Amino acid sequence: DIPNASDTCISGVICAGDFVLLGGSSNVGKSIAAMQLAIDIAEGRQSVLFPPMKVCGLEHIVYHYDGEMRLSQFKERYHGLSVRTLDEHLFRFSPETHERVCTPEGLMQLIIHVCKDATKNIAFFVDNLTDLRDKGDMNLKRFYKCLKKARNIMAHKGLYFTAIIVVHLQSAMNKKIINRPLTLRDFKAGGALPNFFDCALGIRGFM
């Protein structure tokens, strides 16, 4: 039996099996936050991004599509990562290193493929959805159906599929509303469908 959500917290407000939106304007640290969260989940530790709380011991394999950070930047910033973390629990891929996979169609095929072969829980990061939509033929509703199919495949095995999707929120740069919290309307304007997701996390920049 799959445990209750209260027993499956993997990082602060995120529970295993959740679909999560992580949004914000340009240059506020969305990609850094996403990568740090991916590392924390891969290493099975409490994320430094959220207040301390009990975290379940569920083991995850983490896949991280990184369309933002160049390989040289990644190596420089994360040179201290253990080889075990990178080789066994965290798989990063990008247009620079895996061009064929890093298309909307290739990404969806990869998600289904890894879920069909999975023997452990999966956390899948996409950074970021807005650029994929703008640069290619990304059908958002079809993409969301792919995520639901992946979750169903994993559920039949008694495993979890967690998706953390980064989106760019242009409205977050508006000086007139800089002091108000980000809302679902901001996420919709960023090309996401927030009603499909279990939670949305917004990063507000300062101007």
Side-chain angles (χ1 to χ4, degrees), residues 79-90:
H79 62 86
L81 274 182
S82 69
V83 174
R84 182 173 181 272
T85 297
L86 286 173
D87 286 351
E88 298 180 16
H89 291 89
L90 175 61

Side-chain angles (χ1 to χ4, degrees), residues 64-127:
H64 192 290
Y65 164 71
D66 187 352
E68 298 293 318
M69 199 180 306
R70 295 188 63 82
L71 182 60
S72 58
Q73 294 174 309
F74 174 80
K75 289 182 177 179
E76 181 178 357
R77 182 176 289 274
Y78 300 106
H79 62 86
L81 274 182
S82 69
V83 174
R84 182 173 181 272
T85 297
L86 286 173
D87 286 351
E88 298 180 16
H89 291 89
L90 175 61
F91 299 92
R92 175 189 177 272
F93 55 100
S94 70
E96 184 181 7
T97 58
H98 299 79
E99 185 177 359
R100 290 184 181 180
V101 175
C102 296
T103 64
E105 189 63 33
L107 198 59
M108 288 186 282
Q109 290 179 3
L110 177 63
I111 289 171
I112 299 303
H113 174 73
V114 297
C115 288
K116 286 182 176 179
D117 289 350
T119 58
K120 296 178 181 178
N121 302 296
I122 288 177
F124 206 104
F125 286 72
V126 175
D127 184 11

Side-chain angles (χ1 to χ4, degrees), residues 155-206:
H156 284 138
K157 301 181 181 185
L159 298 172
Y160 290 102
F161 175 78
T162 307
I164 295 91
I165 311 298
V166 179
V167 292
H168 176 72
L169 306 182
Q170 184 63 37
S171 61
M173 292 293 292
N174 189 334
K175 294 182 179 180
K176 295 180 180 180
I177 60 173
I178 195 67
N179 292 320
R180 73 155 171 79
L182 295 172
T183 67
L184 290 181
R185 182 178 298 179
D186 296 303
F187 281 89
K188 288 180 179 178
L193 297 178
N195 292 340
F196 177 83
F197 289 80
D198 299 294
C199 70
L201 305 175
I203 302 177
R204 171 65 82 184
F206 298 95

Side-chain angles (χ1 to χ4, degrees), residues 29-49:
K30 299 188 301 298
S31 295
I32 300 301
M35 180 56 73
Q36 185 61 56
L37 190 54
I39 292 169
D40 292 339
I41 294 174
E43 295 186 342
R45 67 187 184 195
Q46 166 62 44
S47 176
V48 298
L49 302 177

